Amino acid sequence: MRTPEPVEVTRARYDRLASVYDLLEWAPERARFGRWRARLWRHVPPGRLLEVGVGTGKNMPYYPSDATMTAVDISPRMLARATRRAARLGRDVRLHLMDVQSLAFPDAAFDAAAATFVFCSVPDPVRGLRELRRVVRPGGRIYLLEHMRADHPVLGRIMDWLDPIVVRLMGPHINRRTVANVTAAGLAIEAVEDLTPMGIVRLITARA
Ligand SMILES: C[S@@+](CC[C@H](N)C(=O)[O-])C[C@H]1O[C@@H](n2cnc3c(N)ncnc32)[C@H](O)[C@@H]1O
């Protein structure tokens, strides 16, 4: 594996994107992402919940109403937008500037955790997923909505070739093997749901 890039690079990238992020995502959000978010959050029981890589707060409308919500992001500018969205929605969310690769929470601090379209950008995804395993109580669940490398061998190879270009232009990696990364982090996979052909977008439920 290549050496992960410093997290400052990710932070700078999302700080730059923050002001146009919602606009760029407007069409896919309406077409599919909104539906997929609702599908993920339908599974999440109330309790002490952590969202990592909260971005501009697009999942906030779907949070369980009686949950105690904490959310983190590495980008101050994305987080500022999330703060404004929480206020607009009247949601009580504890927001922190924090790297998922080294979370400042004690072990077993949460009943469950969730992330949407995040582990494509985290420099060392297995390290981040291990942190989720640590901060979620044993037996608690981790819910992920992520795009990843296609299962199809030819398309998978094409994604490998294109990845360095996409990372430079837009930020996220398009060839992450996120299901394998979840297992490598020591989480037990409970369900993997393909939301697109060839497994490019998947909803993963795992147990800490
Ligand atoms: C593609 S955006 C997705 C935002 C949001 N989850 C959504 O569904 O719209 C990825 C987010 O992950 C955050 N992120 C990337 N690496 C991170 C890290 N190491 N720790 C915390 N957040 C991170 C980025 O700053 C960005 O806000």
Side-chain angles (χ1 to χ4, degrees):
M1 197 185 118
R2 276 173 297 174
T3 313
E5 64 189 12
V7 78
E8 288 71 25
V9 175
T10 320
R11 173 184 293 131
R13 201 172 273 147
Y14 279 100
D15 271 351
R16 270 198 307 276
L17 262 179
S19 62
V20 290
Y21 183 78
D22 286 353
L23 190 65
L24 289 177
E25 299 264 309
W26 183 83
E29 196 68 44
R30 286 183 69 96
R32 304 174 103 174
F33 293 2
R35 199 160 19 100
W36 292 340
R37 293 180 197 283
R39 195 161 174 151
L40 179 151
W41 287 98
R42 254 204 314 272
H43 294 291
V44 184
R48 299 164 304 158
L49 305 184
L50 172 67
E51 183 184 2
V52 294
V54 63
T56 61
K58 286 183 178 196
N59 287 309
M60 287 178 182
Y62 307 97
Y63 287 169
S65 52
D66 40 2
T68 306
M69 288 304 311
T70 301
V72 307
D73 201 283
I74 197 66
S75 153
R77 293 205 178 146
M78 295 294 265
L79 209 54
R81 285 172 184 267
T83 305
R84 290 208 286 277
R85 192 183 311 250
R88 243 186 358 258
L89 295 172
R91 290 287 335 209
D92 183 14
V93 186
R94 294 166 201 168
L95 289 155
H96 302 275
L97 186 65
M98 212 182 277
D99 180 357
V100 67
Q101 299 171 120
S102 48
L103 293 169
F105 300 117
D107 296 357
F110 299 97
D111 296 308
T116 62
F117 308 116
V118 171
F119 284 93
C120 51
S121 304
V122 174
D124 184 341
V126 175
R127 190 172 147 204
L129 290 161
R130 273 198 201 112
E131 275 294 85
L132 291 189
R133 181 163 72 106
R134 182 183 68 76
V135 300
V136 169
R137 66 170 168 77
R141 291 195 172 96
I142 288 144
Y143 303 88
L144 304 171
L145 169 61
E146 295 287 342
H147 65 79
M148 59 201 79
R149 190 181 189 275
D151 282 339
H152 189 279
V154 176
L155 184 57
R157 280 283 180 82
I158 293 172
M159 290 170 109
D160 290 341
W161 289 328
L162 289 178
D163 187 65
I165 303 165
V166 177
V167 170
R168 218 153 293 143
L169 290 178
M170 295 161 66
H173 289 271
I174 56 169
N175 66 343
R176 287 267 162 98
R177 297 172 192 260
T178 304
V179 176
N181 288 344
V182 169
T183 305
L187 293 160
I189 301 253
E190 282 198 333
V192 178
E193 199 180 335
D194 286 355
L195 301 177
T196 58
M198 290 181 270
I200 293 176
V201 180
R202 287 172 164 164
L203 194 55
I204 302 169
T205 308
R207 203 178 268 275

